[in-house]
Amino acid sequence: MPLTKEDKDKPLLSVENLKKHFSLGSGLLSRDDQKVYAVDGVSFQLRRGETLGLVGESGCGKSTLGRSILKLIEPTSGSVRLDGQDVVPLSRSQMRPFRRQMQIIFQDPYESLNPRMRAGDIVEEPLILHEIAGSAARLEKVEALFEKVGLRPDQIRRYPHEFSGGQRQRIGIARALALNPALIIADEPVSALDVSIQAQVVNLLMDLQKELGLSYLFIAHDLSVVEHISHRIAVMYLGRIVEVAGRRELFSDPLHPYTEALLSAVPIPDPKMIRKDRIILKGDVPSPINPPSGCPFHTRCPIAVAACKENVPELRELRPDHWVACDRR
């Protein structure tokens, strides 16, 4: 169903100061006060019918953030509002109706499907768990979902090993659509696929968004894929979001030095195109067990000053709908 302008302007998802810290106190040599600051104060909004791309280096907390929003892992603190309702304090039974509104597409189509279940049963399972319709109506729904994602209805009796990687991911997409959700968190949904298949799956997701009015939080490390599918992009570093902007503005004029370094590493297909020099960051990403004081990026930042070691920068709107966490901008 097409969204009205009023619907598009309302945030479907509002995340405020979300944190997820993992304790390391169970090992023989671990200290009880040691923690992994996987997600450390993330705030953003996702509008209806919008795709927000989430990018950053491996280990920055992207997947943990997505799972914390869905409460697949319990957040340490903060709020996650879906249509204005904070789901963080809700119990498992209270979360049940909200599960229908929030779904996930996993990264690995080989690991995310039960090899002992037929493809149709995998897609039907959410309908059974939520007691939706009778068996005949569910079968009809599953067949329709298979057609919607580009599979044949007669394939519902096959097992996952009988499908290719791209087809398995289409089964995962069909399963995510089964309950008619408003929000889908796509956690690296094409990174395990061949490049040609990646394009097909990304285009499928975009077509489904137009048809169903879906909102996506699209987690990825491939910036070219994110640029293609996203309306806005959030850049994450060491458990924090450091920049949020529209796709065109972020790629044409990034403001945070970490974003500039990320974009400088994107390969350009046409060697005749003019590009900025590659920015090589010094050192390694600090450990999330012992993050640096002040700005988390100051240990690698080419424009850092002494004050950056003391002050934790907040996201500020420096341009219309362009937010940056850097006191040097």
Side-chain angles (χ1 to χ4, degrees):
M1 180 182 296
L3 295 172
T4 65
K5 185 180 185 303
E6 183 179 357
D7 288 335
K8 290 181 179 179
D9 291 339
K10 292 180 181 178
L12 171 68
L13 177 71
S14 296
V15 177
E16 185 173 351
N17 200 28
L18 189 66
K19 298 182 180 181
K20 179 57 186 178
H21 301 163
F22 295 96
S23 175
L24 294 179
S26 59
L28 179 63
L29 301 178
S30 299
R31 291 163 38 193
D32 291 338
D33 60 345
Q34 278 191 320
K35 295 180 180 179
V36 176
Y37 297 88
V39 177
D40 199 25
V42 167
S43 300
F44 67 88
Q45 290 187 338
L46 177 62
R47 302 170 186 134
R48 296 175 184 274
E50 178 187 43
T51 298
L52 177 66
L54 182 63
V55 300
E57 293 171 280
S58 296
C60 71
K62 303 186 299 296
S63 294
T64 302
L65 173 60
R67 284 163 169 74
S68 297
I69 291 170
L70 293 172
K71 291 193 67 178
L72 297 180
I73 54 178
E74 287 291 333
T76 301
S77 63
S79 66
V80 176
R81 297 187 180 276
L82 184 69
D83 265 337
Q85 171 66 55
D86 187 4
V87 301
V88 170
L90 300 183
S91 66
R92 185 173 180 177
S93 60
Q94 290 172 326
M95 271 296 297
R96 187 175 177 84
F98 293 96
R99 295 289 183 202
R100 297 180 60 170
Q101 295 298 307
M102 302 189 296
Q103 292 294 309
I104 186 170
I105 301 170
F106 294 99
Q107 174 179 357
D108 192 342
Y110 298 92
E111 297 293 334
S112 63
L113 304 179
N114 188 335
R116 293 183 176 87
M117 294 178 67
R118 290 185 171 91
D121 296 333
I122 291 172
V123 176
E124 184 186 15
E125 188 175 27
L127 302 173
I128 296 174
L129 292 174
H130 287 267
E131 301 175 346
I132 297 175
S135 58
R138 290 198 302 268
L139 176 59
E140 185 177 339
K141 170 83 169 178
V142 170
E143 291 177 344
L145 285 169
F146 266 59
E147 289 186 303
K148 191 177 291 292
V149 300
L151 296 172
R152 300 192 313 273
D154 61 22
Q155 293 177 301
I156 64 174
R157 297 190 61 80
R158 295 185 181 180
Y159 288 91
H161 72 269
E162 299 179 78
F163 294 90
S164 67
Q167 289 175 325
R168 293 186 198 189
Q169 196 60 292
R170 290 173 187 266
I171 295 171
I173 293 170
R175 177 176 58 187
L177 294 175
L179 297 175
N180 300 317
L183 167 67
I184 291 181
I185 293 181
D187 186 8
E188 304 264 13
V190 298
S191 63
L193 306 177
D194 293 340
V195 174
S196 60
I197 306 301
Q198 288 183 14
Q200 295 176 19
V201 172
V202 167
N203 289 334
L204 171 63
L205 291 172
M206 295 174 70
D207 291 341
L208 291 171
Q209 183 177 55
K210 291 178 182 178
E211 179 183 351
L212 305 174
L214 298 167
S215 297
Y216 294 137
L217 178 62
F218 191 90
I219 301 170
H221 62 269
D222 189 329
L223 290 169
S224 60
V225 173
V226 172
E227 182 183 15
H228 181 67
I229 195 174
S230 303
H231 299 97
R232 291 187 302 139
I233 298 173
V235 181
M236 196 167 180
Y237 181 82
L238 205 63
R240 295 173 178 268
I241 288 180
V242 297
E243 186 166 4
V244 184
R247 171 187 60 194
R248 289 189 179 90
E249 186 171 8
L250 187 91
F251 274 82
S252 63
D253 192 14
L255 294 179
H256 197 281
Y258 176 63
T259 309
E260 292 176 341
L262 274 185
L263 296 182
S264 76
V266 177
I268 292 181
D270 187 352
K272 296 180 181 179
M273 294 179 63
I274 299 174
R275 64 171 299 164
K276 296 180 180 179
D277 293 336
R278 173 74 185 273
I279 300 173
I280 306 296
L281 295 176
K282 298 178 181 179
D284 298 322
V285 180
S287 170
I289 300 175
N290 186 27
S293 61
C295 174
F297 187 59
H298 84 261
T299 59
R300 307 172 74 196
C301 181
I303 62 171
V305 295
C308 297
K309 300 178 182 179
E310 306 295 333
N311 304 320
V312 180
E314 298 293 331
L315 275 174
R316 296 175 295 133
E317 190 174 18
L318 298 188
R319 298 172 183 165
D321 207 24
H322 193 152
W323 299 75
V324 182
C326 180
D327 291 338
R328 296 278 288 152
R329 298 299 191 186

